[in-house]
Amino acid sequence: MPGKYGKNPHFNPYGNKGLSDDAYMSERQISGTLDNSIYFGLTKSIVLQTLYDIIEECSVDNWDGYGAKAIDMTSFNEARRFLCFLPESLPTPEIAVEPDGEIAFEWFHSKRRVFSVSIGGTGELAYAGLFGINKMHGTEFFGEKFPKIILNNIHRVLNDD
Amino acid sequence: MMTNTEEFPSKSIVDDEPLGRFLLSRSHFSSLNNRVKYTAFMPPADLQLSVFRTQNLSEEEIWMLGEKEVVNKAPTPKTLHGRAELIPLTVKKVGLKLYPDNTPPRHANIIGWPQDKSETKQIALELAEDATLKLWIKDSE
């Protein structure tokens, strides 16, 4: 039976298991207020709404028809944290969900100019990019500061150099 | 005219024969940019990426194949949005292999993925770059 936050009745993106539905709704409204605040910025609010929409689709196992895992809750929370750190000056990333349940942000500029970051629940970021004839991939820990290498590669893909 | 899909499966792969990866998730493509996203080509946990060999099939037959072998086999109701089309040569270029197991008929797996996730992402990005997006618009819509 579908749940309030998607098709999976046990999926709660806020991780507060054991609370009533009214409590969940209160938390979502409060969180939604913070997420939509001037501090958060209009661009990020749009991205966050897209994230919620995608969660609706990917909250159950096999959401892609090929055995994908449902969205990982800790990955969702880390994705929100990642979004908070993103400079407002950057273009809106596209959001995708990977078969392991992790959420990814993608910046697409043009053919063979694309960069993506996957947000794991353990704080590890897996990234990869195509920059014309060049390509790269790697991992970086997402601690208290936004990884410079991620920011550098976002700028790299957006600039025609 | 219907083609007998059961008679096709040949073990020999032709470099430019069409392969189709059916798309059931909106996060696997961008209709705005008319492109396939790399997530359509990220393999599942068993590292076998499912595709279908669609040579000699009409468009209608290809969509029926997707409905029959992917959509109807999903445990919950799904919508077939479209397919990502690529060729075996692209699979070879990125260092992967195509294994036609013909189970079900015309089915193949793209195998040889690395264990490292970021490297897998990079390969999936390259596959997506060379893939063509074909959206399915049902006659009833």
Side-chain angles (χ1 to χ4, degrees), chain B residues 74-94:
Chain B
T76 54
K78 300 289 175 193
T79 300
L80 178 57
H81 296 289
R83 71 179 189 272
E85 205 163 83
L86 70 167
I87 59 175
L89 183 60
T90 301
V91 175
K92 271 192 216 174
K93 268 171 39 180
V94 298

Side-chain angles (χ1 to χ4, degrees), chain A residues 13-81:
Chain A
Y14 301 96
N16 291 319
K17 295 178 182 176
L19 293 183
S20 66
D21 281 348
D22 287 340
Y24 285 149
M25 284 304 293
S26 294
E27 182 160 353
R28 179 161 180 169
Q29 282 163 358
I30 291 169
S31 183
T33 302
L34 287 173
D35 291 338
N36 290 319
S37 70
I38 294 172
Y39 175 77
F40 201 64
L42 177 62
T43 299
K44 292 181 187 177
S45 296
I46 294 170
V47 176
L48 193 64
Q49 184 56 54
T50 306
L51 190 57
Y52 287 136
D53 292 341
I54 284 181
I55 284 169
E56 288 284 326
E57 180 188 348
C58 305
S59 61
V60 290
D61 283 338
N62 198 26
W63 52 266
D64 68 345
Y66 296 103
K69 285 178 58 181
I71 279 189
D72 181 83
M73 286 195 317
T74 47
S75 175
F76 170 78
N77 289 328
E78 283 293 281
R80 290 178 66 204
R81 189 167 76 91

Side-chain angles (χ1 to χ4, degrees), chain A residues 57 62-63 66 94 96 98-100 102 104 106 108 111-112 116 118 126-127 130 135-138, chain B residues 21-22 24-26 28 30 33 35 37-39 42-43 75 78 116-119 121-122 125-126 129:
Chain A
E57 180 188 348
N62 198 26
W63 52 266
Y66 296 103
E94 293 182 64
E98 295 179 346
D100 58 2
E102 292 189 357
E106 184 182 72
F108 172 78
K111 190 155 179 65
R112 285 200 73 87
S116 174
S118 305
Y127 59 87
L130 303 179
K135 55 189 177 184
M136 54 83 76
H137 65 88
Chain B
R21 170 99 171 143
F22 294 105
L24 276 63
S25 170
R26 287 171 293 148
H28 284 175
S30 169
N33 295 314
R35 67 181 185 101
K37 292 188 182 178
Y38 79 95
T39 41
M42 288 291 283
K78 300 289 175 193
D116 178 71
K117 178 163 182 179
S118 67
E119 191 176 355
K121 270 174 78 82
Q122 181 185 288
L125 280 171
E126 292 191 272
E129 282 296 306

